[in-house]
């Protein structure tokens, strides 16, 4: 007997044995084991296929075809059996307590301030504003003087300041995001529409509504014929998207040295008026200092505190929660 | 600033039945923010809470600290009250609460009905009241002493009842720091007239009086009026004056001082009265000499510097100009002649001086806002009127006035087109004019060539803040009402879009970590050197050019942080203390590093994250298996995979981390950060007692290594061939290096380890590493021979390079 006959016999036996075994298999695990015995890495049929390499071309063709045909056939039979086994469920499967928790998967969240900031920036982007950032450590010329808040002017009391102990004594932690108004104007030409998010710092004691570190977003829009009515319309649209489509806005007289007129914007939210930002028309001197013609270009600026808005939206009663980073607080958002 | 509506009503007629809250709102909308409305006396029952007089005081038979006061409250019978207040005296006018009065219990702060009860055996028919019991303030040190001329038996409500507005005055409005100034605003809002207080008209100035005034620093003192007022009789002020001062939180002192204070609150001009007979010679307004001493009225010895302006006589300084008077010329009970000063000092100089001495006064807060020099004469004349009325002073004939011609406001040309453009709303000319005139501006409207309307406007003398046309526009729009403004959107085109890749990248990184179950935190940017010493090596701390604060609020915030590591570890510690056990947190924030040229710091964007605790089981409960290096590394790999990047990890040493369990992370051979397990020593310093692994990535450097644009790679049409191999890899070779050898082959698409085994059958210096290799070609189906050949080539290479053999 030649090798080929041996192999052919083996294949026939293999088929017969397999079909015999199959009749007694009544569960998926046993079936899987049988599959491994036949077709696994060291399976019987696998080994036959492997041994083909030692045959001459004709034999190889003959045996190869036969064994591949058997392989396909067996796979088909095994698959059918498997389907049959799965579709006929044993009647004794235990019933699950479906109230038990699912397998634990950790959940992470963005900090509520990040979430609020993102919502705000998304709205502003839709309104055509580009997001830019500026330095947190600033020079007093940008934080104050160029914003028309000269040294020894009582308006400086509006911003209690952390000063940096450097040779350059004018270094400070920015008290607002407004310095970026100046920095941006220095390097750009109108039309301008930018939003500036970032950390700011105030030299003041903390309590339920005051933090020494806070996050602001500044808005600056400069173009021909920008008006106070544009400011009101833009900020109302902003308010609608953040506080809900039925929110109302109100402008009140206010004072910031770098705007004229200066206003405070309040939003009616859940029946209460919340002061959420200072705003106004960019002072013509600042427009001129940027090298633009103030009789052609006008603009508005606004600045808002993110914590205040987050406190209102989430009904957080104490601003100090935000930077304490108690996970029991953070996991609520 | 506190404003009494009762007092204010003497200058401007407020509507009867005024809705105070609505009024406060109106004022806030158009003028200045009303921070609080304090209603005094509304709840005092007119028949039960009344004015009374103490007619006799007797000892309490059973208590040393209590006394029995008999009060006359206008009824037929006097009443006896048990009272513990220290400031009782016969003839004193007091606030008397009869049985049944609703009063505030100073201990609880709650309202309570007064009952007649026995105190140490003696029945008390009512109570002599303190400010606290009346709900005016927290003061419960003694009873309220009413003015001596207070009539008896009147409802206290009529007498002390008032509404106080706490108004926030903007720094540019010195004119509003007075009752008359507020009255002017209100009259413009209500469109009615204002009743000015009575003034004594002095005939003329005469600079050749007995006292001469020399102003040395004319740039720091643009006007100085001095008036000699003789024969004042110093004593308590009349009741109405005391009550007005008290209503806005001021303590009456004596009639002379009270008049100067009163006029300051009424008109906004700080005044000072010197005891004329204590002045040696003439008055000089000059810079202080270096280290010149002056005892100010608050009894503090001040050492002056030449940048401070003083009022001096021939021998010494007698006042710190515009800030506080000197003790040496203080008006006392024996004073009979005074020198009244009304001046206009330079705002910057005043502010510098008061800042330097940390001495803020009602006077300095007005001067530093820049008063009009007009005001000095007004206030002088008003004060003289009161000195004559109240102190019986002899009317003076004249006064000294240095620089008597005050500055006038310039005319400002305001074009109609500017108003319309800036507001975006048309306000009719008649309304523009009436608003401005109501505010005291003078306005002329003309039509110029081309048809544009031009307003020629002059602001009233008290409005030192009006300098440009837009200032006038604010006046117009605030009184016209912001609620009338329409809403529009910017008509111009949207500016060209600018990418902000750093910001977008940071947000994507945040999202990636959150998806993996990590919680974002935001921590403070300031810390201390002591804290930094826990996470940075001493040599680095020593060499660091920190950005340190000049002024700190608390000792734990003095340095701008150059790392986030301590913040993350502090947050972990706090949360373990609060009950958390398995923690995975991260922060993305700037750190501050010094640069050359003493410039602003580099603000570098850093991501620092850490996990701490034990593996979590199927129930979400911590197991006893500690989290390890690979838990955190998995996150880093996953994060980088989001950005289609793989990193190499190489052993490195980091201060505070376990050597051998710390690796630097490299992308394209560029270090972008590190990952490591914290040493027990470091953890102990932070008070953490569970395994903690931290990673740090420099986001800008990482971003530079990334391909910004995702690129489509064709998917091979040909089948792949999987092969598993077990290799004996010596410890001296990293699995990563082995992987690299495989992946350098062009037909290997991946080589991923799936098991590392040590123990039986493996030599001590080796590990058995199982690797799954995926062979695939873009061009053809790989034959068995192709794969076999390539594998032999790679195995040969591994043997040659690292002495790695397959395991059979």
């Amino acid at each position: 007997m030649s090798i080929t006959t041996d192999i052919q016999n083996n294949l026939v036996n293999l088929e017969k044995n397999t079909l015999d075994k199959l009749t007694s298999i009544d569960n998926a695990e046993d079936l899987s084991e049988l599959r491994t015995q036949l077709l696994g890495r060291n399976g019987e049929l696998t080994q036959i296929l492997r041994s083909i390499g030692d045959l001459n071309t004709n034999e190889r063709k003959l045996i190869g075809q036969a064994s591949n045909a058997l392989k396909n056939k067996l796979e088909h039979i095994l698959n059918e059996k498997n389907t049959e086994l799965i579709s006929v469920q044993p009647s004794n499967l235990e019933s699950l307590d479906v109230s038990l928790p699912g397998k634990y998967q950790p959940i992470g969240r963005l900090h509520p301030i990040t979430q609020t900031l993102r919502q705000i920036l998304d709205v502003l982007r839709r309104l055509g504003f580009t997001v830019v950032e500026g330095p947190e450590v600033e020079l007093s010329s940008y934080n104050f003087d160029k914003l028309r808040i000269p040294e020894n002017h009582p308006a400086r009391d509006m911003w209690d300041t952390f000063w940096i102990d450097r040779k350059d004594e004018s270094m400070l932690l920015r008290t607002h995001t407004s310095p970026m108004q100046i920095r941006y104007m220095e390097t750009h030409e109108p039309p301008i529409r930018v939003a500036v998010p970032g950390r700011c710092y105030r030299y003041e004691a903390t309590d339920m509504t005051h933090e020494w570190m806070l996050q602001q977003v500044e808005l600056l829009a400069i173009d021909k014929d920008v008006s106070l009515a544009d400011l009101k319309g833009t900020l109302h649209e902003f308010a609608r998207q953040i506080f809900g489509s039925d929110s109302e806005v109100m402008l009140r007289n206010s004072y910031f040295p770098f705007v004229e007129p200066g206003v405070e914007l309040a939003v009616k939210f859940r029946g209460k008026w919340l002061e959420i930002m200072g705003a106004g028309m960019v002072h013509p001197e600042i427009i001129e200092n940027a090298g633009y013609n103030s009789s052609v270009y006008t603009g508005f600026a606004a600045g808002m505190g993110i914590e205040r808005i987050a406190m209102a939206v989430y009904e957080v009663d104490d601003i100090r929660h935000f930077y304490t980073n108690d996970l029991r607080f953070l996991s609520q958002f | 600033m506190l404003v009494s509506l009762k007092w204010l009503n003497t200058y401007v007629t407020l509507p009867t039945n005024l809705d105070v809250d609505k009024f406060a709102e109106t004022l806030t909308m158009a003028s200045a923010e009303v921070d609080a409305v304090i209603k005094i006396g509304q709840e005092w029952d007119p028949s039960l809470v009344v004015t009374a007089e103490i007619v006799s005081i007797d000892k309490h038979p059973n208590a040393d600290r209590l006394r029995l006061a008999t009060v006359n409250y206008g009824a037929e019978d006097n009443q006896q009250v048990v009272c513990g207040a220290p400031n009782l005296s016969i003839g004193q006018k007091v606030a008397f609460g009869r049985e049944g009065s609703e009063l505030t219990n100073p201990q609880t702060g709650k309202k309570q009905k007064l009952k007649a009860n026995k105190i140490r055996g003696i029945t008390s028919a009512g109570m002599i009241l303190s400010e606290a019991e009346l709900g005016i303030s927290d003061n419960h040190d003694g009873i309220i002493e009413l003015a001596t001329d207070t009539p008896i038996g009147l409802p206290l409500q009529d007498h002390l009842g008032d509404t106080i507005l706490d108004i926030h005055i903007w720094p540019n409005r010195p004119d509003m720091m007075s009752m008359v100034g507020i009255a002017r605003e209100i009259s413009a809002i209500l469109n009615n007239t204002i009743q000015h207080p009575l003034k004594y008209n002095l005939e003329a100035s005469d600079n050749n009086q007995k006292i001469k005034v020399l102003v040395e620093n004319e740039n720091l003192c643009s006007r100085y009026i001095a008036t000699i007022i003789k024969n004042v009789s110093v004593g308590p002020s009349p009741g109405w004056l005391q009550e007005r001062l008290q209503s806005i939180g001021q303590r009456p002192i004596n009639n002379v001082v009270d008049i100067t204070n009163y006029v300051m609150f009424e008109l906004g001009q700080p005044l000072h009265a010197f005891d004329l007979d204590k002045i040696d010679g003439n008055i000089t307004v000059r810079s202080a000499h270096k280290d010149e001493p002056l005892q100010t009225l608050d009894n503090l010895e001040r050492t002056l510097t030449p940048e401070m302006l003083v009022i001096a006589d021939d021998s010494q300084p007698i006042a710190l100009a515009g800030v506080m008077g000197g003790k040496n010329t203080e008006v006392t009970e024996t004073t009979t002649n005074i020198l009244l000063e009304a001046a206009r000092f330079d705002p910057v100089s005043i502010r510098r001086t008061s800042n330097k001495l940390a001495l803020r006064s009602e006077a300095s807060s007005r001067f530093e806002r820049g008063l009009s020099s007009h005001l000095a004469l007004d206030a002088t004349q008003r004060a003289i009127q009161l000195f004559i009325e109240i102190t019986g002073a002899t009317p003076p004939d004249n006064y000294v006035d240095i620089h008597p011609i005050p500055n006038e406001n310039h005319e400002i040309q305001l074009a109609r087109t500017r108003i319309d453009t800036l507001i975006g709303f048309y306000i009719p000319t008649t309304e523009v004019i009436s608003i401005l005139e109501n505010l005291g501006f003078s306005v002329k409207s003309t039509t110029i060539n081309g048809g544009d309307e031009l307003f020629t406007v002059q602001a009233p003398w008290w409005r030192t803040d009006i300098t440009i046309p837009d200032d006038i526009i604010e006046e117009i729009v605030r009184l016209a009402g912001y609620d009338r403004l329409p809403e529009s959107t910017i008509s111009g085109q949207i500016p060209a879009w600018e990418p902000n890749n750093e910001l977008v990248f940071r947000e994507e990184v945040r999202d990636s970590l959150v998806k993996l179950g990590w919680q974002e935190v935001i921590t403070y940017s300031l810390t201390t050197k002591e804290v930094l010493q826990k996470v940075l090596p001493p040599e680095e701390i020593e060499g660091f050019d920190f950005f340190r604060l000049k002024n700190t609020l608390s000792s734990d915030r003095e340095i701008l942080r150059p790392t986030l590591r301590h913040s993350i570890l502090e947050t972990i510690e706090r949360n373990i203390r609060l009950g958390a056990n398995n923690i995975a947190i991260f922060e993305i924030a700037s750190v501050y590093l010094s640069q050359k040229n003493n410039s602003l710091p580099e603000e570098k964007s850093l991501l620092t994250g850490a996990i701490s605790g034990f593996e979590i089981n199927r129930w979400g409960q911590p197991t006893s298996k500690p989290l390890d290096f690979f838990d955190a590394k998995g996150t880093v790999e996953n994060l980088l995979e989001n950005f289609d990047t793989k990193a190499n990890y190489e052993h490195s040493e980091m201060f505070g981390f376990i050597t051998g369990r710390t690796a630097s992370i490299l992308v394209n051979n560029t270090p972008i950060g590190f990952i490591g397990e914290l040493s027990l020593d470091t953890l102990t310093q932070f008070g953490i007692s569970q395994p903690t692994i931290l990673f740090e990535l420099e986001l800008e450097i990482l971003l530079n290594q990334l391909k910004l644009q995702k690129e489509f790679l064709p998917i091979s049409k040909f089948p792949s061939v999987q092969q598993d191999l077990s290799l004996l890899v010596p410890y001296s070779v990293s699995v990563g290096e082995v992987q690299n050898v495989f992946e350098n082959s062009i037909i290997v698409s991946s080589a991923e380890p799936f098991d590392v085994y040590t123990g039986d059958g493996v030599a001590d210096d080796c590990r058995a590493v199982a690797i799954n290799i995926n062979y695939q070609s873009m061009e053809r189906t790989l034959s068995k021979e192709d794969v076999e050949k390539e594998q032999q080539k790679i195995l040969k290479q591994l043997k040659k390079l690292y002495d790695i053999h397959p395991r059979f």
Side-chain angles (χ1 to χ4, degrees), chain A residues 50 100-104 106-111 113-114 118 125 128 130-139 152-158 161-169 171 173 183-184 188 191-193 197 199 201-205 211-213 215 221 223-230 232-234 236 240 249-255 260-263 275 281 283-284 294-295 298 300 322-328 330-331, chain B residues 25 28-33 170-172 347-348 351-352 355 360 368-369 418 421-424 468 470-471 473-474 477-478 482-498 500 503 506-507 510-511 514 516-526 545-553 557 560-561 571 574-575 578 580 583 585-590 592 594 598-601 603 616-620 724 784:
Chain A
R50 222 173 261 166
L100 284 174
K103 286 189 182 161
Y104 173 78
I107 180 153
R109 288 180 168 88
L110 290 171
H111 193 282
I113 292 298
T114 304
R118 275 194 188 181
R125 284 190 189 100
T130 297
V131 180
V132 296
E133 292 168 295
E136 291 172 33
V137 182
E138 261 295 3
L139 299 170
N152 287 309
H153 190 279
R156 280 227 177 162
D157 293 345
M158 294 166 75
T161 310
F162 282 113
W163 293 89
I164 308 262
D165 190 10
R166 299 295 277 192
K167 209 185 283 171
D168 179 351
E169 292 199 331
M171 234 182 256
L173 288 181
R183 287 188 180 273
Y184 195 80
H188 292 77
I192 288 171
R193 261 186 248 185
R199 292 186 188 207
Y201 304 85
R202 300 275 169 88
Y203 180 72
E204 61 181 29
E211 252 291 2
W212 61 269
M213 184 175 93
Q215 308 225 19
D223 203 343
K224 290 175 184 160
D225 299 337
V226 173
S227 71
L228 201 57
D230 293 341
K232 193 178 179 186
T234 306
H236 194 177
R240 271 191 285 265
V249 296
M250 175 165 69
L251 296 185
R252 295 169 173 169
N253 189 46
S254 189
Y255 167 73
E260 187 70 81
V263 293
E275 277 178 23
M281 301 303 293
H283 198 283
S294 68
S295 62
T298 51
F300 68 72
F322 289 118
Y323 304 130
T324 305
N325 294 301
D326 183 339
L327 294 174
R328 296 168 304 178
L330 297 178
S331 65
Chain B
E25 183 66 34
T28 299
M29 295 281 284
S31 186
E33 189 170 357
W170 310 121
N172 65 333
V348 172
R351 186 171 161 87
R352 208 174 271 151
N355 274 351
R360 285 287 170 95
E368 69 173 22
R369 282 164 149 91
R418 181 71 185 177
T421 304
L422 204 67
I423 302 182
I468 59 165
D470 292 2
D471 293 336
I473 294 175
E474 179 178 75
V477 68
R478 75 184 173 94
Y482 289 107
D483 51 339
R484 280 166 63 193
L485 273 183
E487 293 186 3
S488 51
T489 48
I490 306 167
S491 54
Q493 64 184 16
I494 291 178
W497 180 78
E498 280 178 70
N500 188 339
L503 186 126
R506 289 201 301 267
E507 296 310 316
R510 283 192 171 99
D511 283 338
V514 163
L516 293 171
W518 290 58
Q519 171 66 50
E520 189 197 15
V521 298
I522 300 179
T523 61
Y524 293 123
S525 320
L526 293 167
D545 183 14
F546 288 119
F547 285 79
R548 195 183 284 274
L549 293 184
K550 214 181 271 175
N551 52 338
T552 56
L553 277 169
R557 295 164 200 149
L560 278 166
R561 59 183 174 184
T571 306
R574 182 174 320 121
N575 279 289
L578 293 170
I583 297 168
I585 56 169
F586 73 97
E587 176 167 22
I588 294 179
S590 289
Y592 313 84
S594 68
N598 192 33
S599 62
L600 292 174
E603 296 182 16
I616 296 294
N617 67 16
R618 173 250 176 283
W619 304 102
D724 294 343
K784 198 179 171 195

Side-chain angles (χ1 to χ4, degrees), chain B residues 395-507:
Chain B
D397 298 329
N398 45 31
Y399 56 98
V400 178
D401 191 354
I402 308 295
H403 311 291
I405 300 159
N407 298 328
E408 292 295 335
N409 282 321
H410 296 294
E411 283 189 344
I412 297 169
Q413 308 290 326
L414 172 63
R416 155 62 70 184
T417 46
R418 181 71 185 177
I419 306 176
D420 298 352
T421 304
L422 204 67
I423 302 182
F425 175 54
Y426 182 80
I427 299 176
T429 300
T430 49
E431 193 182 351
V432 168
I433 292 173
S434 84
I435 285 172
L436 291 175
E437 286 181 347
N438 282 347
L439 284 166
F441 290 65
S442 72
V443 198
K444 273 186 307 217
S445 160
T446 46
T447 306
I448 54 164
N449 293 343
D452 192 10
E453 200 178 354
L454 192 70
F455 297 96
T456 304
V457 185
Q458 190 180 20
W461 59 259
W462 58 86
R463 294 299 302 272
T464 50
D465 60 311
I466 304 288
T467 56
I468 59 165
D470 292 2
D471 293 336
I472 301 168
I473 294 175
E474 179 178 75
E475 300 301 299
I476 298 167
V477 68
R478 75 184 173 94
L479 283 162
Y482 289 107
D483 51 339
R484 280 166 63 193
L485 273 183
E487 293 186 3
S488 51
T489 48
I490 306 167
S491 54
Q493 64 184 16
I494 291 178
W497 180 78
E498 280 178 70
N500 188 339
N501 295 329
E502 282 89 12
L503 186 126
V504 171
F505 180 55
R506 289 201 301 267
E507 296 310 316

Side-chain angles (χ1 to χ4, degrees), chain A residues 86-110:
Chain A
I86 293 170
S87 61
V88 181
Q89 282 184 343
S91 54
N92 61 346
L93 271 186
E94 65 167 326
S95 160
L96 298 175
D97 179 348
V98 295
S99 72
L100 284 174
K103 286 189 182 161
Y104 173 78
Q105 314 273 353
I107 180 153
R109 288 180 168 88
L110 290 171

Side-chain angles (χ1 to χ4, degrees), chain B residues 371-389:
Chain B
L371 293 170
S372 166
S373 55
H374 254 281
L375 197 54
L377 184 57
D378 261 22
T380 299
Q381 294 179 340
R382 173 62 177 151
I384 290 169
Q385 172 70 29
L386 293 173
F387 278 118
I388 296 167
E389 269 178 34

